[in-house]
Amino acid sequence: MNLRVTYLLGMMLALLFLSKAEARDYSALVVDADSGRVLYERFPSELRHPASITKIMTLYLVFEALERGELTLNTPLTVSRNAVLKPPSRLGLTPGDTLAVEDAVLALVTRSANDAATVIAENLAGSETAFAEMMTAKAHALGMRDTVFRNASGLPDPMQVTTAWDMARLGKALINDFPRYYPYFSTPRFYYRGQSFDNHNHLMETYSGMDGIKTGFINASGFNLVASAKRGGRRLIGVVFGGPSAKRRDAHMREILDDGFAQLSGAPPAFIEADFNRPAEPRAAARLADLEPGSPRVTFGSPAHFRSARATGRHARPAVTTEARGNPAHGKASAARSGPARQGSASANAPIRRASVSRKAPTEKAHAPPAKTSKVAPASCKGKQGKCGK
């Protein structure tokens, strides 16, 4: 009898341990971009696979090159065979094509095109491997101590890891450092060579104040989202990793951002637990209704353990205090040559978590995002299972 009780207790403890381990594929964070106040957090320092939110850093380096005058929005980027062969999502390029910088930017923020990400990497650094090293170096300089990039797209690589905290730092730095270019992330639709590509961040159509920034999905990560919304002059940055579907990830992001804005108005924190912060259902039992039409099925199962070069580095950039918006022009995307001016604030140097580093604002270039158009219906990612650039 004692042996039977011991066996049953052991099985219960093992199941409890496995449940907690699987549940921790999820993580989330909401911070006030101005003060650095944490409004919601669940495992924000645990390592996760970024998937296509990797492209936020890819675009950060593009915007830096534009600010330095090394690129213009019309600079042609050469398309290689290596770029064309990347798994979906893709823009549908052919070897020997050229892709304008602005079209590459719009392809990443809407279509989440992996071929366009590789085109950027190869043209800026000579190879995607070299570009990934630049990305990692920049991440550490921004205080993203636990982030390692291995490619420019977010396609599966067991060594490509980050945390919710690091992605919040990156989102804040991009908004602050490039207010002229950040509005590209609110582009609802991109037109290219007779095709239209819709933005995967569907919350921008329904969530008041949301103006970006990027979704992501691979099997090892689940559905990820870095989002930013601004109401009444206050900006929140939210991060969710590990959603079982785009729909449920978005619902959780909406819930924790709503709670964050309520706290800024004096309400006490609500006790919010993601309905997917629990062991994943067996694939046979997964409900197709939870997935958006055309979305790939999710197979949970991150690596047993992550490895990351935990390098020390400086921490987050100052908060942005400008609110910028922009949408695409019709036909092949082109830019209107005007944009929001950089503004300052007494709270601009507030840290996001630890110590912040003040930084001289880069010189503005005569580049600007496209003019505003109406919102459009969302489109789902059409990539193969586990290869989606969503």
Side-chain angles (χ1 to χ4, degrees):
M1 182 67 180
N2 289 338
L3 288 175
R4 182 179 177 83
V5 171
T6 302
Y7 172 77
L8 290 173
L9 287 173
M11 288 295 293
M12 291 174 63
L13 289 172
L15 288 171
L16 180 62
F17 173 80
L18 290 173
S19 296
K20 289 183 176 179
E22 285 197 78
R24 285 171 70 100
D25 287 342
Y26 154 80
S27 63
L29 178 69
V30 175
V31 294
D32 180 348
D34 294 326
S35 67
R37 177 184 172 189
V38 177
L39 301 166
Y40 183 86
E41 59 178 338
R42 294 292 185 275
F43 317 121
S45 299
E46 296 292 324
L47 293 175
R48 300 289 182 261
H49 294 302
S52 278
I53 62 176
T54 294
K55 295 181 176 84
I56 301 173
M57 178 59 82
T58 301
L59 290 170
Y60 188 100
L61 295 183
V62 172
F63 298 155
E64 272 198 334
L66 287 167
E67 291 282 277
R68 292 194 298 260
E70 297 169 2
L71 296 174
T72 70
L73 292 172
N74 297 318
T75 298
L77 306 175
T78 303
V79 177
S80 70
R81 175 176 170 78
N82 177 52
V84 168
L85 294 177
K86 292 298 176 182
S89 296
R90 291 189 294 233
L91 194 57
L93 304 169
T94 57
D97 277 352
T98 59
L99 182 66
V101 167
E102 184 174 46
D103 288 343
V105 169
L106 289 166
L108 265 61
V109 300
T110 59
R111 178 65 170 171
S112 196
N114 297 322
D115 51 359
T118 298
V119 168
I120 289 171
E122 292 177 341
N123 281 265
L124 266 63
S127 71
E128 190 160 4
T129 299
F131 188 77
E133 292 174 356
M134 292 169 55
M135 294 169 71
T136 301
K138 177 57 65 175
H140 294 169
L142 293 174
M144 300 166 63
R145 301 182 304 171
D146 300 322
T147 296
V148 175
F149 292 113
R150 299 298 294 272
N151 59 56
S153 61
L155 284 169
D157 187 305
M159 294 293 290
Q160 183 142 303
V161 293
T162 189
T163 67
W165 260 120
D166 279 1
M167 280 297 156
R169 291 188 179 98
L170 177 58
K172 180 179 177 180
L174 189 143
I175 293 167
N176 181 70
D177 295 344
F178 307 111
R180 184 175 293 275
Y181 302 116
Y182 173 66
Y184 277 115
F185 286 94
S186 66
T187 303
R189 173 175 285 178
F190 168 48
Y191 297 86
Y192 184 75
R193 293 184 176 177
Q195 298 185 74
S196 63
F197 303 103
D198 294 340
N199 197 311
H200 292 152
N201 185 2
H202 308 317
L203 279 178
M204 288 193 299
E205 301 162 10
T206 60
Y207 192 82
S208 175
M210 183 163 292
D211 53 13
I213 57 178
K214 191 73 187 72
T215 63
F217 169 85
I218 57 174
N219 277 332
S221 71
F223 288 81
N224 301 340
L225 175 62
V226 178
S228 183
K230 190 172 185 180
R231 295 178 181 175
R234 302 293 295 274
R235 179 178 292 280
L236 299 185
I237 296 174
V239 182
V240 172
F241 282 100
S245 71
K247 179 180 177 181
R248 291 167 69 185
R249 172 205 65 199
D250 290 354
H252 184 51
M253 179 66 80
R254 178 190 298 276
E255 188 176 32
I256 61 179
L257 286 177
D258 279 347
D259 180 60
F261 281 117
Q263 289 184 58
L264 294 182
S265 298
F271 181 78
I272 299 173
E273 195 68 34
D275 67 348
F276 50 83
N277 186 16
R278 59 176 181 253
E281 299 174 32
R283 290 191 66 192
R287 294 181 297 168
L288 288 176
D290 283 343
L291 300 179
E292 293 183 328
S295 295
R297 291 287 297 275
V298 182
T299 303
F300 282 85
S302 301
H305 58 274
F306 292 101
R307 289 175 293 168
S308 172
R310 293 180 177 268
T312 57
R314 297 190 296 181
H315 300 287
R317 301 290 182 90
V320 66
T321 57
T322 59
E323 181 173 16
R325 301 184 182 279
N327 294 309
H330 292 289
K332 184 175 179 180
S334 60
R337 302 304 175 191
S338 62
R342 188 183 302 273
Q343 299 177 5
S345 168
S347 62
N349 291 320
I352 191 168
R353 188 186 185 198
R354 303 185 181 98
S356 66
V357 176
S358 61
R359 177 180 181 273
K360 184 178 179 181
T363 304
E364 295 288 352
K365 302 290 179 183
H367 307 302
K372 185 173 182 179
T373 62
S374 60
K375 300 285 185 180
V376 295
S380 298
C381 178
K382 305 299 183 183
K384 296 180 181 178
Q385 179 177 336
K387 302 296 185 181
C388 179
K390 198 167 181 181

Short mmCIF file of all heavy atoms in Angstrom, two decimals, residues 269-303:
data_model
loop_
_atom_site.label_atom_id
_atom_site.label_comp_id
_atom_site.label_asym_id
_atom_site.label_seq_id
_atom_site.Cartn_x
_atom_site.Cartn_y
_atom_site.Cartn_z
N PRO A 269 -4.20 46.95 -9.88
CA PRO A 269 -3.93 45.91 -10.88
C PRO A 269 -4.97 44.80 -10.80
O PRO A 269 -5.39 44.40 -9.71
CB PRO A 269 -2.54 45.38 -10.49
CG PRO A 269 -1.96 46.40 -9.59
CD PRO A 269 -3.10 47.09 -8.92
N ALA A 270 -5.40 44.32 -11.96
CA ALA A 270 -6.31 43.18 -12.01
C ALA A 270 -5.48 41.91 -12.02
O ALA A 270 -4.34 41.90 -12.48
CB ALA A 270 -7.19 43.25 -13.25
N PHE A 271 -6.05 40.84 -11.48
CA PHE A 271 -5.36 39.55 -11.54
C PHE A 271 -5.72 38.91 -12.87
O PHE A 271 -6.84 38.45 -13.08
CB PHE A 271 -5.76 38.64 -10.38
CG PHE A 271 -5.05 37.31 -10.42
CD1 PHE A 271 -3.74 37.20 -9.98
CD2 PHE A 271 -5.69 36.19 -10.92
CE1 PHE A 271 -3.09 35.98 -10.03
CE2 PHE A 271 -5.04 34.97 -10.97
CZ PHE A 271 -3.73 34.86 -10.53
N ILE A 272 -4.76 38.91 -13.79
CA ILE A 272 -4.99 38.39 -15.13
C ILE A 272 -4.07 37.21 -15.37
O ILE A 272 -2.86 37.30 -15.16
CB ILE A 272 -4.72 39.46 -16.21
CG1 ILE A 272 -5.67 40.65 -16.02
CG2 ILE A 272 -4.87 38.87 -17.60
CD1 ILE A 272 -5.36 41.82 -16.92
N GLU A 273 -4.65 36.12 -15.77
CA GLU A 273 -3.86 34.93 -16.11
C GLU A 273 -4.27 34.50 -17.51
O GLU A 273 -5.46 34.34 -17.79
CB GLU A 273 -4.13 33.80 -15.13
CG GLU A 273 -3.11 32.67 -15.20
CD GLU A 273 -1.72 33.09 -14.72
OE1 GLU A 273 -1.63 33.92 -13.80
OE2 GLU A 273 -0.74 32.59 -15.29
N ALA A 274 -3.31 34.34 -18.40
CA ALA A 274 -3.61 33.92 -19.77
C ALA A 274 -4.29 32.55 -19.74
O ALA A 274 -3.85 31.66 -19.02
CB ALA A 274 -2.34 33.85 -20.60
N ASP A 275 -5.34 32.40 -20.54
CA ASP A 275 -6.02 31.11 -20.54
C ASP A 275 -5.16 30.02 -21.17
O ASP A 275 -5.47 28.84 -21.05
CB ASP A 275 -7.37 31.20 -21.26
CG ASP A 275 -7.23 31.47 -22.76
OD1 ASP A 275 -6.12 31.80 -23.21
OD2 ASP A 275 -8.25 31.35 -23.46
N PHE A 276 -4.07 30.42 -21.83
CA PHE A 276 -3.17 29.41 -22.41
C PHE A 276 -1.90 29.23 -21.58
O PHE A 276 -0.96 28.59 -22.02
CB PHE A 276 -2.81 29.76 -23.85
CG PHE A 276 -2.33 31.17 -24.07
CD1 PHE A 276 -1.02 31.53 -23.84
CD2 PHE A 276 -3.22 32.14 -24.52
CE1 PHE A 276 -0.59 32.82 -24.05
CE2 PHE A 276 -2.79 33.44 -24.74
CZ PHE A 276 -1.47 33.78 -24.50
N ASN A 277 -1.85 29.84 -20.38
CA ASN A 277 -0.71 29.64 -19.50
C ASN A 277 -0.91 28.32 -18.74
O ASN A 277 -1.08 28.28 -17.53
CB ASN A 277 -0.58 30.79 -18.51
CG ASN A 277 0.68 30.67 -17.66
OD1 ASN A 277 1.59 29.91 -18.00
ND2 ASN A 277 0.73 31.41 -16.57
N ARG A 278 -0.94 27.25 -19.50
CA ARG A 278 -1.16 25.91 -18.97
C ARG A 278 -0.64 24.92 -20.01
O ARG A 278 -0.36 25.31 -21.15
CB ARG A 278 -2.64 25.68 -18.71
CG ARG A 278 -3.52 25.84 -19.94
CD ARG A 278 -4.97 25.52 -19.62
NE ARG A 278 -5.82 25.63 -20.77
CZ ARG A 278 -6.69 26.60 -20.98
NH1 ARG A 278 -6.81 27.56 -20.09
NH2 ARG A 278 -7.45 26.62 -22.06
N PRO A 279 -0.54 23.65 -19.69
CA PRO A 279 -0.03 22.69 -20.66
C PRO A 279 -0.85 22.71 -21.94
O PRO A 279 -2.07 22.81 -21.92
CB PRO A 279 -0.16 21.34 -19.95
CG PRO A 279 -0.17 21.68 -18.50
CD PRO A 279 -0.84 23.02 -18.39
N ALA A 280 -0.16 22.62 -23.08
CA ALA A 280 -0.84 22.62 -24.36
C ALA A 280 -1.65 21.34 -24.52
O ALA A 280 -1.27 20.28 -24.05
CB ALA A 280 0.17 22.73 -25.49
N GLU A 281 -2.79 21.46 -25.20
CA GLU A 281 -3.58 20.28 -25.51
C GLU A 281 -2.82 19.40 -26.51
O GLU A 281 -2.04 19.92 -27.30
CB GLU A 281 -4.90 20.70 -26.14
CG GLU A 281 -5.77 21.58 -25.27
CD GLU A 281 -6.99 22.06 -26.03
OE1 GLU A 281 -7.47 21.31 -26.89
OE2 GLU A 281 -7.44 23.17 -25.75
N PRO A 282 -3.06 18.09 -26.49
CA PRO A 282 -2.49 17.27 -27.55
C PRO A 282 -2.94 17.79 -28.91
O PRO A 282 -4.04 18.32 -29.04
CB PRO A 282 -3.09 15.87 -27.27
CG PRO A 282 -3.46 15.91 -25.83
CD PRO A 282 -3.85 17.33 -25.53
N ARG A 283 -2.09 17.65 -29.92
CA ARG A 283 -2.41 18.22 -31.22
C ARG A 283 -3.75 17.70 -31.75
O ARG A 283 -4.48 18.43 -32.40
CB ARG A 283 -1.31 17.90 -32.22
CG ARG A 283 -0.02 18.64 -31.95
CD ARG A 283 0.94 18.50 -33.09
NE ARG A 283 0.42 19.16 -34.27
CZ ARG A 283 0.94 19.00 -35.48
NH1 ARG A 283 1.97 18.22 -35.67
NH2 ARG A 283 0.43 19.63 -36.52
N ALA A 284 -4.06 16.44 -31.48
CA ALA A 284 -5.31 15.88 -31.98
C ALA A 284 -6.52 16.56 -31.36
O ALA A 284 -7.60 16.57 -31.93
CB ALA A 284 -5.36 14.39 -31.68
N ALA A 285 -6.33 17.15 -30.17
CA ALA A 285 -7.45 17.78 -29.47
C ALA A 285 -7.49 19.28 -29.68
O ALA A 285 -8.38 19.95 -29.20
CB ALA A 285 -7.35 17.47 -27.97
N ALA A 286 -6.49 19.84 -30.36
CA ALA A 286 -6.46 21.28 -30.57
C ALA A 286 -7.66 21.73 -31.40
O ALA A 286 -8.07 21.04 -32.33
CB ALA A 286 -5.17 21.68 -31.27
N ARG A 287 -8.22 22.88 -31.05
CA ARG A 287 -9.42 23.35 -31.74
C ARG A 287 -9.04 24.22 -32.92
O ARG A 287 -8.43 25.27 -32.76
CB ARG A 287 -10.29 24.13 -30.78
CG ARG A 287 -10.86 23.28 -29.65
CD ARG A 287 -11.73 24.12 -28.75
NE ARG A 287 -10.96 25.18 -28.11
CZ ARG A 287 -11.50 26.20 -27.46
NH1 ARG A 287 -12.80 26.32 -27.38
NH2 ARG A 287 -10.73 27.12 -26.89
N LEU A 288 -9.40 23.78 -34.13
CA LEU A 288 -9.08 24.57 -35.31
C LEU A 288 -9.74 25.94 -35.27
O LEU A 288 -9.25 26.89 -35.85
CB LEU A 288 -9.52 23.81 -36.57
CG LEU A 288 -8.67 22.59 -36.93
CD1 LEU A 288 -9.28 21.90 -38.14
CD2 LEU A 288 -7.24 22.98 -37.22
N ALA A 289 -10.86 26.05 -34.55
CA ALA A 289 -11.56 27.33 -34.47
C ALA A 289 -10.71 28.39 -33.79
O ALA A 289 -10.96 29.58 -33.96
CB ALA A 289 -12.88 27.16 -33.73
N ASP A 290 -9.72 27.97 -33.01
CA ASP A 290 -8.87 28.93 -32.32
C ASP A 290 -7.85 29.56 -33.25
O ASP A 290 -7.21 30.55 -32.90
CB ASP A 290 -8.13 28.26 -31.16
CG ASP A 290 -9.03 28.06 -29.95
OD1 ASP A 290 -10.08 28.72 -29.91
OD2 ASP A 290 -8.68 27.25 -29.09
N LEU A 291 -7.63 28.95 -34.40
CA LEU A 291 -6.64 29.46 -35.33
C LEU A 291 -7.31 30.32 -36.38
O LEU A 291 -8.39 30.03 -36.86
CB LEU A 291 -5.90 28.31 -36.02
CG LEU A 291 -5.15 27.36 -35.08
CD1 LEU A 291 -4.48 26.26 -35.90
CD2 LEU A 291 -4.11 28.11 -34.28
N GLU A 292 -6.65 31.41 -36.76
CA GLU A 292 -7.19 32.23 -37.83
C GLU A 292 -7.15 31.45 -39.13
O GLU A 292 -6.31 30.58 -39.32
CB GLU A 292 -6.34 33.49 -37.97
CG GLU A 292 -6.44 34.41 -36.79
CD GLU A 292 -5.64 35.67 -37.00
OE1 GLU A 292 -4.60 35.60 -37.67
OE2 GLU A 292 -6.07 36.69 -36.50
N PRO A 293 -8.04 31.75 -40.08
CA PRO A 293 -8.02 31.05 -41.36
C PRO A 293 -6.66 31.13 -42.01
O PRO A 293 -6.09 32.20 -42.16
CB PRO A 293 -9.08 31.81 -42.18
CG PRO A 293 -9.99 32.41 -41.17
CD PRO A 293 -9.12 32.74 -39.99
N GLY A 294 -6.13 29.98 -42.37
CA GLY A 294 -4.84 29.94 -43.04
C GLY A 294 -3.65 29.91 -42.11
O GLY A 294 -2.52 29.79 -42.56
N SER A 295 -3.88 30.02 -40.80
CA SER A 295 -2.76 30.01 -39.87
C SER A 295 -2.20 28.60 -39.73
O SER A 295 -2.93 27.63 -39.81
CB SER A 295 -3.19 30.49 -38.48
OG SER A 295 -3.58 31.83 -38.53
N PRO A 296 -0.90 28.47 -39.53
CA PRO A 296 -0.31 27.15 -39.33
C PRO A 296 -0.69 26.59 -37.97
O PRO A 296 -0.96 27.33 -37.04
CB PRO A 296 1.20 27.42 -39.40
CG PRO A 296 1.33 28.84 -39.00
CD PRO A 296 0.09 29.53 -39.50
N ARG A 297 -0.75 25.28 -37.88
CA ARG A 297 -0.99 24.64 -36.59
C ARG A 297 0.21 24.81 -35.67
O ARG A 297 1.35 24.89 -36.11
CB ARG A 297 -1.26 23.14 -36.80
CG ARG A 297 -2.57 22.86 -37.50
CD ARG A 297 -3.76 23.10 -36.59
NE ARG A 297 -3.75 22.21 -35.45
CZ ARG A 297 -4.24 20.99 -35.46
NH1 ARG A 297 -4.79 20.51 -36.57
NH2 ARG A 297 -4.21 20.23 -34.38
N VAL A 298 -0.04 24.83 -34.37
CA VAL A 298 1.01 25.02 -33.39
C VAL A 298 1.42 23.68 -32.79
O VAL A 298 0.58 22.92 -32.36
CB VAL A 298 0.55 25.95 -32.26
CG1 VAL A 298 1.67 26.19 -31.27
CG2 VAL A 298 0.05 27.26 -32.82
N THR A 299 2.70 23.41 -32.80
CA THR A 299 3.22 22.27 -32.06
C THR A 299 4.09 22.82 -30.95
O THR A 299 5.14 23.40 -31.21
CB THR A 299 4.07 21.35 -32.96
OG1 THR A 299 3.27 20.92 -34.05
CG2 THR A 299 4.56 20.15 -32.19
N PHE A 300 3.64 22.69 -29.70
CA PHE A 300 4.43 23.21 -28.59
C PHE A 300 5.61 22.30 -28.34
O PHE A 300 5.57 21.10 -28.59
CB PHE A 300 3.57 23.32 -27.33
CG PHE A 300 2.68 24.52 -27.35
CD1 PHE A 300 1.44 24.46 -27.96
CD2 PHE A 300 3.10 25.70 -26.80
CE1 PHE A 300 0.63 25.56 -28.00
CE2 PHE A 300 2.29 26.82 -26.83
CZ PHE A 300 1.05 26.74 -27.43
N GLY A 301 6.65 22.84 -27.81
CA GLY A 301 7.83 22.06 -27.47
C GLY A 301 9.10 22.81 -27.76
O GLY A 301 9.76 22.58 -28.76
N SER A 302 9.41 23.79 -26.93
CA SER A 302 10.67 24.49 -27.06
C SER A 302 11.80 23.55 -26.65
O SER A 302 11.57 22.52 -26.04
CB SER A 302 10.68 25.73 -26.15
OG SER A 302 9.61 26.59 -26.50
N PRO A 303 13.05 23.89 -27.00
CA PRO A 303 14.17 23.04 -26.57
C PRO A 303 14.17 22.84 -25.06
O PRO A 303 13.67 23.68 -24.31
CB PRO A 303 15.40 23.83 -27.03
CG PRO A 303 14.91 24.69 -28.14
CD PRO A 303 13.49 25.03 -27.80
#
